[in-house]
């Protein structure tokens, strides 16, 4: 059974069809790429999957159940986590606290027990703290655990955002241009990290990326969007040769 | 915020003992030494601190800009006041238990109102939400003001309308107000110590990211409104049973704005800041009542002098680049602090003397505070604090008469203001407002910023200063 199935998903903003009959399905363990020129509807596609927008028509199924109409927080609790194209961290919170907010999706203690500081809430908090510290370790952020997240350099903020998304124990991780604004060295490290997440932790990943080296290097399957419509789907080698993709996006090899 | 609950039961027990000790000390140790006026001041400042901390839950921690907080205070006060008047004489319940019951009733009544006001916060943000809450605050007050048991009747109950409502017996003691403040602080502080509390901060920082990270922003925002309102309702319950008389004027827009000012001045989001600002601002408002009248020209001269010095200091800042060792700077800051405390003490002791001395002392205090704040804030490029304090005092001595003479020389001013005495009631709020402006200019992020009070700096004093590399790492 596929983890995520988009079937003819469609969204209109007034007269503009931002996403037009897009269908694809992601299997467990996939490293899936979503590419296309600017304004092709990639981020809108993410917003549809995460519940920020509701599709005008079509269906989106996650883990065998429809997630259309659910609030984003509900979808996050179901197991879809995301990062943002323009980084969105909780700036005034420390790195550790950012990740703990992610862990808190799985909270079982009640608000009352938190206010009364009952043992349940305290234990849960230390459990989350442990888990967050573990994640920080994986992402090489242990040293900056107590630094305010807005004081971090850009590349580190991107890594923290991924760590925060992973803290929600997602079944599917959506990365929106994770390598944007990074220098070649940083984006290479990031590629290694993404591959490690998949290989070591079995994390299913869907990513939007403009850097062709990153996409072709790590994705096994790619969907190409142009003007909201899907123009190609397949493994990287096929995509690279596809004439429609070359025309719309990649350009002729020199 | 740190997640160090420590030895669980040990810490809990210790903090309970500490609370009992503080409250008992206040009630039996300090209170007998004070007269009625001073103890009333203490109760009011504790109550306003509770209000500020409860508003901080909505404004500071969850980031929903609400400026109608007096309405929740009003609802708590009127609901419980009316209940006590109607039911208490017939019931045979001990006053202590009745007061606790009233606190719970006030909390529930205001909490329901908080839920209703919280609903627009789901759709509105920032200034739009502010307008809605402001409107709610005014509606609550105006409804009560026009309610006299005939025209606008709540099941035939008479709330006294514009004449106010007498609440007898007056059950609230100083200890109750202190306990309420501790309770209010504990609610916010405990919440922020847990993972769940962080989701409130997450909503403040970035709603979209919070939602994507699994924080139910709807529930979180409404919860913040309900908790904040319920705590304000409890405060209202204690207030009506302390004052013995409540009228709509106690809960007007002015009250709402002062509570907002307390939160902002304390540092939005800082629990300690709200509590401290609540106490300090209430005391300051009252302390300024003791100030006697002064000729208008002299007052203007003082204010002008203060402005000139403040401008001079801010201009000097980039020019002075003296590198001081951390130890020396700490010593200087210590001296400055002592001077500040001394000047403040002088203000209180001299309060019975003429206004001129008081204002002068006040201005010097403000200046020392300003210099101190700049020094501590500037880090390595700190000002040579002591020199500037001296400079400020000299400048004040020199400038004041010059301005005064200059103003007297202008015929128009001499004719109109020469004999005008500003009475304390006029002056009080003007100086109060001026103090607020100065604090905001010096520290736009409020007294505490996002930080909380902790004892860590005490430990820091005994440690050797950090090396540069350690800070960089």
């Amino acid at each position: 059974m596929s983890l995520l199935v988009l079937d003819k998903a469609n969204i209109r903003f007034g007269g503009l069809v931002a996403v037009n009959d897009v269908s694809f399905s992601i299997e467990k363990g996939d490293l899936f790429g979503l590419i296309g020129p600017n304004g092709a509807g990639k981020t809108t596609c993410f917003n549809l999957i995460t519940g920020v927008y509701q599709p005008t028509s079509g269906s989106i199924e996650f883990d065998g159940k429809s997630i259309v109409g659910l609030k984003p927080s509900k979808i996050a609790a179901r197991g879809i986590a995301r990062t943002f194209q323009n980084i969105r961290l909780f700036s005034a919170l420390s790195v550790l606290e950012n990740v703990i907010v992610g862990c808190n999706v799985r909270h079982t203690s009640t608000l009352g027990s938190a206010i009364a500081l009952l043992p349940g809430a305290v234990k849960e908090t230390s459990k989350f703290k442990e888990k967050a510290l573990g994640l920080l370790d994986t992402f090489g952020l242990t040293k900056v655990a107590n630094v305010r997240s807005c004081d971090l350099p850009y590349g580190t903020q991107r890594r923290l955002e991924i760590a925060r998304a992973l803290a929600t124990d997602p079944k599917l991780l959506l990365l929106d241009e994770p390598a944007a604004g990074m220098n070649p060295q940083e984006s290479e490290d990031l590629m290694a990290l993404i591959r490690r997440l998949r290989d070591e932790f079995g994390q299913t990943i869907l990513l939007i990326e403009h850097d062709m080296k990153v996409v072709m290097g790590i994705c096994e399957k790619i969907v190409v969007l142009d003007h909201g419509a899907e123009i190609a789907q397949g493994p990287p080698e096929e995509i690279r040769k596809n004439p429609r993709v070359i025309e719309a996006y990649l350009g002729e090899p020199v | 915020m740190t997640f160090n609950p420590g030895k669980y039961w040990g810490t809990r027990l210790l903090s309970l003992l500490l609370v009992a000790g503080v409250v008992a000390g206040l009630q039996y140790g300090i209170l007998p030494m004070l007269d009625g006026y001073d103890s009333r001041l203490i109760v009011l400042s504790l109550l306003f601190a509770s209000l500020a901390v409860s508003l901080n839950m909505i404004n500071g921690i969850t980031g929903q800009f609400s400026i109608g907080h007096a309405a929740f205070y009003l609802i708590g006060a009127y609901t419980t006041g009316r209940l006590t008047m109607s039911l208490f004489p017939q019931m045979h319940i001990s006053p202590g238990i009745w007061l606790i019951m009233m606190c719970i009733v006030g909390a529930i009544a205001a909490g329901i109102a908080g839920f209703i006001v919280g609903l627009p916060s789901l759709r509105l943000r920032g200034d739009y939400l502010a307008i809605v809450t402001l409107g709610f605050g005014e509606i609550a007050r105006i409804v009560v003001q026009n309610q006299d048991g005939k025209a606008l009747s709540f099941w035939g109950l008479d709330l006294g309308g514009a004449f106010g409502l007498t609440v007898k017996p007056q059950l609230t003691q100083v200890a109750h107000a202190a306990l309420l403040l501790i309770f209010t602080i504990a609610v916010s502080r405990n919440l922020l110590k847990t993972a769940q509390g962080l989701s409130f901060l997450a909503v403040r920082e970035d709603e979209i990211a919070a939602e994507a990270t699994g924080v139910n922003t709807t529930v979180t925002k409404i919860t913040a409104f309900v908790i904040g309102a319920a705590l304000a309702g409890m405060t209202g319950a204690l207030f009506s049973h302390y004052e013995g008389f409540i009228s709509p004027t106690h809960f007007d827009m002015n009250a709402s704005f002062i509570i907002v000012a307390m939160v902002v001045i304390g540092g939005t989001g800082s629990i300690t800041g709200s509590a401290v600002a609540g106490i300090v601002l209430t005391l300051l408002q009252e302390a300024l009542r003791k100030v006697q009248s002064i000729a208008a020209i002299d007052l203007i001269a003082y204010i002008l002098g203060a402005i000139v010095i403040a401008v001079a200091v801010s201009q000097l800042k980039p020019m002075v680049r003296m590198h001081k060792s951390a130890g020396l700077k700490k010593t200087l800051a210590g001296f400055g602090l002592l001077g500040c405390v001394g000047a403040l003490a002088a203000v209180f002791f001299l309060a019975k003397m003429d206004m001129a001395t008081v204002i002068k002392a006040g201005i010097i205090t403000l200046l020392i505070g300003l210099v101190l704040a700049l020094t501590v804030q500037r880090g390595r490029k700190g000002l040579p604090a002591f020199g500037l304090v001296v400079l400020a005092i000299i400048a004040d001595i020199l400038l004041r008469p010059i301005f005064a003479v200059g103003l007297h020389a202008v015929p128009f001013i001499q004719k109109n203001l020469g004999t005008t005495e500003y009475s304390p009631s006029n002056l009080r709020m003007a100086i109060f407002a001026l103090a607020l402006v100065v604090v905001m200019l010096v520290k736009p992020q409020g007294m505490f910023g996002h930080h909380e009070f902790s004892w860590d700096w005490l430990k820091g004093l005994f440690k050797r200063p950090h090396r540069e590399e350690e800070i960089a790492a």
Side-chain angles (χ1 to χ4, degrees):
Chain A
M1 190 181 63
S2 302
L3 189 60
L4 178 79
V5 184
L6 261 75
D7 190 19
K8 300 224 160 130
N10 223 314
I11 185 167
R12 283 196 192 86
F13 298 112
L16 177 82
V17 187
V19 171
N20 192 3
D21 285 350
V22 170
S23 309
F24 59 82
S25 65
I26 298 175
E27 307 297 323
K28 233 168 232 162
D30 270 355
L31 223 170
F32 206 99
L34 185 60
I35 63 173
N38 285 331
K42 304 180 298 283
T43 299
T44 312
C45 219
F46 266 32
N47 285 339
L48 280 180
I49 297 171
T50 53
V52 177
Y53 298 142
Q54 299 305 326
T56 318
S57 64
S59 73
I60 304 171
E61 280 190 7
F62 179 69
D63 229 5
K65 276 178 254 162
S66 170
I67 52 169
V68 174
L70 291 183
K71 269 174 72 75
S73 55
K74 215 52 186 265
I75 292 177
R78 287 270 184 96
I80 300 182
R82 73 174 290 184
T83 66
F84 294 87
Q85 192 173 353
N86 43 347
I87 306 174
R88 282 176 174 273
L89 290 170
F90 307 128
S91 336
L93 301 194
S94 75
V95 169
L96 180 64
E97 287 166 346
N98 263 280
V99 180
I100 291 176
V101 173
C103 298
N104 194 44
V105 181
R106 309 275 162 234
H107 76 89
T108 49
S109 67
T110 58
L111 189 76
S113 75
I115 290 175
L117 223 54
L118 294 182
V122 173
K123 255 185 221 139
E124 191 176 69
T125 299
S126 21
K127 194 181 86 192
F128 287 158
K129 189 185 174 186
E130 286 304 309
K131 183 179 160 195
L133 284 172
L135 270 166
L136 291 188
D137 192 39
T138 312
F139 282 78
L141 295 166
T142 312
K143 261 194 176 169
V144 289
N146 292 317
V147 176
R148 275 199 314 174
S149 61
C150 58
D151 294 337
L152 292 177
Y154 188 78
T156 320
Q157 290 195 355
R158 284 239 174 253
R159 265 188 294 154
L160 171 59
E161 217 190 5
I162 300 175
R164 184 183 68 187
L166 280 178
T168 63
D169 289 333
K171 291 178 186 142
L172 172 65
L173 177 64
L174 309 184
L175 301 176
D176 199 342
E177 296 202 28
M182 286 189 166
N183 64 33
Q185 180 58 44
E186 281 175 327
S187 79
E188 214 160 275
D189 291 346
L190 187 80
M191 250 158 59
L193 182 73
I194 292 173
R195 204 178 284 130
R196 220 182 106 202
L197 285 180
R198 208 278 306 267
D199 296 343
E200 277 180 35
F201 303 96
Q203 183 67 54
T204 315
I205 297 171
L206 168 62
L207 86 162
I208 294 177
E209 188 49 73
H210 269 303
D211 188 337
M212 278 306 121
K213 243 177 78 191
V214 174
V215 181
M216 300 288 178
I218 60 175
C219 295
E220 289 118 6
K221 232 180 143 192
I222 293 173
V223 171
V224 189
L225 296 185
D226 186 29
H227 291 107
E230 180 188 321
I231 57 172
Q233 196 171 145
E237 311 81 65
E238 268 176 44
I239 295 293
R240 205 176 279 145
K241 285 180 234 146
N242 188 315
R244 288 188 66 191
V245 178
I246 292 173
E247 187 199 341
Y249 186 46
L250 297 180
E252 294 290 339
V254 184
Chain B
M1 286 127 268
T2 44
F3 297 97
N4 287 325
K7 293 261 186 308
Y8 185 78
W9 293 112
T11 319
R12 290 296 89 74
L13 199 67
L14 196 70
S15 46
L16 276 182
L17 281 177
L18 209 67
V19 167
V22 167
V23 173
L26 187 67
Q27 181 77 38
Y28 301 110
I30 298 175
L31 206 61
M33 302 195 302
L34 302 172
D35 57 12
Y37 176 76
D38 285 336
S39 71
R40 177 167 181 275
L41 217 56
I42 290 183
V43 170
L44 280 186
S45 61
L46 290 173
L47 290 181
F48 266 92
S50 310
L51 283 177
V53 173
S54 68
L55 179 63
N56 185 49
M57 182 75 213
I58 304 171
N59 270 19
I61 293 173
T62 322
Q64 304 303 306
F65 201 64
S66 162
I67 53 176
H69 210 55
F72 304 127
Y73 184 38
L74 175 145
I75 289 168
Y78 267 93
T79 316
T80 60
R82 188 62 249 180
L83 265 179
T84 298
M85 289 305 285
S86 305
L87 296 179
F88 185 67
Q90 296 126 35
M91 302 259 189
H92 301 285
I93 300 174
S94 86
I97 294 172
W98 179 260
L99 194 63
I100 293 172
M101 280 167 58
M102 283 304 101
C103 274
I104 296 170
V105 169
I108 293 172
I112 293 170
F115 178 79
I116 294 165
V117 181
L119 289 176
S121 78
L122 304 178
R123 305 187 60 91
L124 301 172
R125 241 158 253 175
D127 23 11
Y128 303 102
L129 179 64
I131 292 170
V132 170
T133 54
L134 179 71
F136 171 74
E138 280 301 276
I139 290 169
R141 184 181 65 83
I142 290 168
V143 165
V144 171
Q145 191 156 13
N146 293 299
Q147 205 282 344
D148 52 7
K150 286 177 228 103
L152 250 169
S153 166
F154 295 117
W155 307 284
L157 287 176
D158 181 9
L159 295 182
F163 298 110
L165 178 71
T166 310
V167 182
K168 286 267 151 16
Q170 287 156 267
L171 301 169
T172 308
Q173 304 281 318
V174 179
H176 298 138
L179 276 176
L180 178 69
L181 176 59
I182 293 170
F183 177 73
T184 320
I185 292 176
V187 168
S188 315
R189 177 189 154 279
N190 286 357
L191 193 61
L192 288 188
K193 281 221 174 239
T194 62
Q196 291 206 43
L198 287 179
S199 53
F200 287 82
L201 294 173
V203 170
R204 175 187 78 193
E205 293 300 317
D206 191 326
E207 250 178 68
I208 293 172
E211 187 73 34
T213 320
V215 178
N216 191 332
T217 50
T218 314
V219 171
T220 308
K221 284 195 270 188
I222 296 267
T223 309
F225 263 100
V226 170
I227 294 177
L231 291 174
M234 288 176 128
T235 316
L238 286 194
F239 176 72
S240 63
H241 291 85
Y242 182 77
E243 199 77 340
F245 170 77
I246 45 176
S247 85
T249 48
H250 283 126
F251 311 98
D252 57 3
M253 242 200 266
N254 230 331
S256 281
F257 282 134
I258 283 183
I259 304 169
V260 173
M262 285 166 181
V263 172
V264 174
I265 293 234
T268 311
S270 168
I271 303 164
T272 336
S274 303
V276 171
I279 291 174
V280 169
L281 291 194
T282 315
L283 290 182
L284 182 66
Q285 271 187 66
E286 287 299 318
L288 288 173
R289 258 188 226 282
K290 293 188 172 175
V291 161
Q292 287 153 25
S293 31
I294 181 179
I297 287 188
D298 285 337
L299 175 70
I300 297 171
Y302 281 124
I303 293 174
L304 279 177
I307 291 172
V308 169
I309 294 166
V311 171
V313 167
S314 67
Q315 288 303 309
L316 270 174
K317 201 170 59 190
M319 283 161 58
V320 188
R321 285 191 200 282
M322 275 178 68
H323 291 240
K324 298 271 177 192
S325 71
L328 180 59
K329 212 149 66 188
K330 264 183 195 160
T331 321
L332 286 181
F335 270 119
L337 195 68
L338 277 181
C340 200
V341 172
L344 263 179
V347 172
F348 282 110
F349 283 121
L350 296 175
K352 286 180 192 118
M353 292 172 65
D354 67 318
M355 175 71 179
T357 327
V358 176
I359 289 198
K360 197 165 144 192
I363 289 174
I364 292 175
T365 313
L366 283 179
L367 280 171
I368 295 173
L370 180 105
V371 171
L372 246 181
L374 288 175
T375 319
V376 177
Q377 230 176 350
R378 289 266 109 195
R380 279 197 62 185
K381 286 181 205 154
L383 296 164
F386 209 62
L388 261 174
V389 173
V390 174
L391 187 79
I393 293 170
I394 294 171
D396 180 57
I397 293 167
L398 283 179
L399 282 175
R400 188 175 42 80
I402 295 175
F403 277 121
V405 169
L407 288 170
H408 274 288
V410 181
F412 174 78
I413 294 178
Q414 172 69 328
K415 201 164 69 203
N416 289 294
L417 293 179
T419 51
T420 308
E421 295 273 319
Y422 270 98
S423 70
S425 57
N426 291 342
L427 206 58
R428 190 168 71 96
M429 292 322 277
I431 296 180
F432 180 69
L434 198 71
L436 298 194
V437 170
V438 169
V439 173
M440 281 292 98
L441 285 178
V442 174
K443 286 207 91 152
Q445 72 275 49
M447 294 194 294
F448 284 79
H450 279 320
H451 304 291
E452 295 297 342
F453 174 78
S454 80
W455 295 105
D456 290 348
W457 61 275
L458 253 184
K459 291 179 211 155
L461 280 184
F462 299 104
K463 271 190 204 146
R464 299 183 60 182
H466 288 286
R467 301 231 154 253
E468 289 286 308
E469 307 91 88
E470 275 178 300
I471 295 160

